[in-house]
Amino acid sequence: MGMIFLFFLYLAVIFLCIFALWKTFEKAGKPGWAAIVPFYNMYVMLEIAGRPGWWLVLMFIPFVNLIFSFIVTLDIARCFGKGSGFGVGLFFLPFIFFPILAFGDTKFTGK
């Protein structure tokens, strides 16, 4: 019984994250369906953050991807009018902070 509950809890968190990323993309004027396409969703996040598309290649290099992902989440937070602390939250707790970004009253301001 406990394993089944954990499985469905896991699925609920996954769907929440996908839906939150979908709404975040739509707020930024990008297609929401991009949230469910592997690799393209990373490219769209780079576009929202205002970073060049070739950074996608850096996302495949171990340890380098952590640094550049951190920079991208800081930039995404700034593009939505949030501070650096919110960007750190997006990096470490995306399942909490992306829904806040998606369903809150924040507006996409760009760079």
Side-chain angles (χ1 to χ4, degrees):
M1 180 76 172
M3 291 298 289
I4 294 172
F5 173 75
L6 288 177
F7 175 73
F8 283 111
L9 180 65
Y10 174 74
L11 284 179
V13 170
I14 294 294
F15 283 120
L16 174 69
C17 291
I18 290 171
F19 191 61
L21 195 58
W22 187 301
K23 297 301 282 183
T24 302
F25 283 4
E26 286 180 345
K27 273 189 172 184
K30 302 294 180 186
W33 57 264
I36 59 174
V37 180
F39 307 116
Y40 182 60
N41 61 6
M42 289 190 293
Y43 181 76
V44 171
M45 288 180 77
L46 288 171
E47 285 182 339
I48 292 170
R51 295 296 178 169
W54 63 266
W55 274 28
L56 184 63
V57 175
L58 299 173
M59 297 294 188
F60 296 105
I61 303 171
F63 301 110
V64 174
N65 62 354
L66 295 175
I67 296 166
F68 283 90
S69 295
F70 186 73
I71 293 169
V72 168
T73 56
L74 290 175
D75 288 343
I76 288 173
R78 189 180 71 246
C79 288
F80 280 92
K82 299 289 189 179
S84 298
F86 195 87
V88 171
L90 281 173
F91 182 75
F92 287 109
L93 298 169
F95 54 89
I96 294 173
F97 283 86
F98 269 107
I100 292 171
L101 193 63
F103 305 119
D105 59 352
T106 58
K107 302 284 185 216
F108 180 72
T109 58
K111 284 203 163 204

